[in-house]
Amino acid sequence: LLSNVWGPAKARALEEAADLQDMAQSEGDNIEIAPWDWRYYSEKVRSAKHDLDEAEIKPYFQLDQMIEAAFYTATCLFGLTFKELKGQDVYHPDVRVFEVFDKNGDHLGIFIGDYFARASKRSGAWMSAFRSQQKLKGDVRPIIVNVMNFSKAPESEPTLLTFDDARTLFHEFGHGLHGLMSNVTHPLV
């Protein structure tokens, strides 16, 4: 696999490096692109080539639609289904709870989405487990939480995400799937 990927990946990296070098020179920067220059100039190249305005694409990344897209992806890839459980006793009113079923329709676990920033919450995004899956003490099913810090829209308006926010949601959901689909006897400590 690595041998098959290495050639095309190296060729693409060299193309990107050439684009960055051209950008630096076009701005009068008489440097040779170094690793620490990569992010700075790649953003300039991206902006010049694509001229993408985050505000224009945000309507395409509505939070509820991105959650549905993540669930749809899990259904297509693994046969999982998600059913929102309303009226649960949760630690904050914005928290959403979903029962997760495997491809056979059997209970797999609980997925909790805590999507919005608030004063009592640390910044960042992460996945955690209130309870990990294990079989040492019976068939213990996981309770997994994805925590984000998206800006909540005013009441009756959809919450819009940036492209980076949407990517973060999918990234953390991947960790959540790992926790939900765990199948071990001994829990991790």
Side-chain angles (χ1 to χ4, degrees), residues 117-150:
R118 57 185 175 272
S120 62
K121 189 180 188 185
R122 73 178 168 103
S123 64
W126 63 94
M127 174 280 240
S128 191
F130 288 120
R131 181 175 71 199
S132 296
Q133 179 276 330
Q134 55 108 340
K135 294 179 183 171
L136 192 60
K137 298 176 183 174
D139 188 15
V140 177
R141 307 312 312 154
I143 301 172
I144 301 299
V145 62
N146 272 175
V147 180
M148 313 289 167
N149 273 286
F150 302 140

Side-chain angles (χ1 to χ4, degrees), residues 2-189:
L2 289 177
S3 296
N4 291 337
V5 171
W6 177 250
K10 183 177 178 186
R12 182 65 189 121
L14 291 172
E15 288 173 21
E16 287 180 28
D19 287 345
L20 302 181
Q21 189 65 52
D22 290 346
M23 177 59 71
Q25 289 176 340
S26 75
E27 293 190 339
D29 298 337
N30 189 19
I31 63 167
E32 185 173 326
I33 294 295
W36 48 85
D37 299 319
W38 201 275
R39 287 183 70 138
Y40 175 75
Y41 286 103
S42 64
E43 180 57 26
K44 288 183 169 283
V45 168
R46 184 203 61 78
S47 180
K49 282 188 171 187
H50 306 291
D51 194 24
L52 187 62
D53 180 1
E54 284 280 345
E56 287 182 29
I57 64 170
K58 278 180 107 174
Y60 297 99
F61 295 111
Q62 293 181 12
L63 175 60
D64 288 340
Q65 296 300 315
M66 291 296 96
I67 293 168
E68 294 247 350
F71 290 172
Y72 175 77
T73 302
T75 301
C76 290
L77 292 174
F78 306 112
L80 304 184
T81 54
F82 298 77
K83 177 185 174 193
E84 187 160 10
L85 303 175
K86 302 273 187 181
Q88 299 298 304
D89 188 18
V90 291
Y91 58 89
H92 192 275
D94 289 337
V95 170
R96 295 174 67 182
V97 180
F98 302 87
E99 184 173 8
V100 184
F101 301 93
D102 66 16
K103 63 184 174 188
N104 299 319
D106 296 326
H107 175 79
L108 184 65
I110 297 293
F111 177 76
I112 300 170
D114 184 353
Y115 297 107
F116 300 116
R118 57 185 175 272
S120 62
K121 189 180 188 185
R122 73 178 168 103
S123 64
W126 63 94
M127 174 280 240
S128 191
F130 288 120
R131 181 175 71 199
S132 296
Q133 179 276 330
Q134 55 108 340
K135 294 179 183 171
L136 192 60
K137 298 176 183 174
D139 188 15
V140 177
R141 307 312 312 154
I143 301 172
I144 301 299
V145 62
N146 272 175
V147 180
M148 313 289 167
N149 273 286
F150 302 140
S151 298
K152 188 175 180 181
E155 195 67 36
S156 78
E157 290 184 31
T159 295
L160 304 180
L161 306 179
T162 65
F163 179 78
D164 192 48
D165 290 340
R167 180 176 40 211
T168 298
L169 183 141
F170 270 84
H171 174 94
E172 295 306 331
F173 186 65
H175 292 301
L177 289 175
H178 181 196
L180 285 164
M181 297 175 68
S182 176
N183 187 13
V184 299
T185 299
H186 300 280
L188 295 175
V189 179

